[in-house]
Amino acid sequence: MKNWHDESGSRCRAILDKAVALRWLVDISANHCQLSYLILSDTGIAIPAREVQHVLPLHAA
């Protein structure tokens, strides 16, 4: 989980570094929040990340 969290953060920073044309009110790379979750089935078996979208209904807010 920690490796996934760290790699995800690195990908986010790389995307932000390339987004030079975008202007933010604050420094996004220094002012953001990253949440990581480990979702387990009712049997305690970890659900692979590639299958989460099939398990949970994801809705845009």
Side-chain angles (χ1 to χ4, degrees):
M1 180 64 148
K2 182 181 180 333
N3 288 341
W4 181 91
H5 183 87
D6 293 344
E7 290 170 7
S8 178
S10 294
R11 285 190 304 273
C12 179
R13 285 187 296 279
I15 291 168
L16 288 174
D17 288 344
K18 293 178 183 177
V20 293
L22 299 175
R23 301 220 181 253
W24 307 97
L25 297 175
V26 297
D27 178 11
I28 296 296
S29 62
N31 295 283
H32 72 279
C33 174
Q34 180 180 349
L35 304 175
S36 297
Y37 297 90
L38 176 63
I39 301 172
L40 300 175
S41 70
D42 57 355
T43 61
I45 298 171
I47 300 170
R50 67 183 177 280
E51 295 181 18
V52 170
Q53 66 183 356
H54 302 293
V55 175
L56 300 176
L58 301 176
H59 302 284

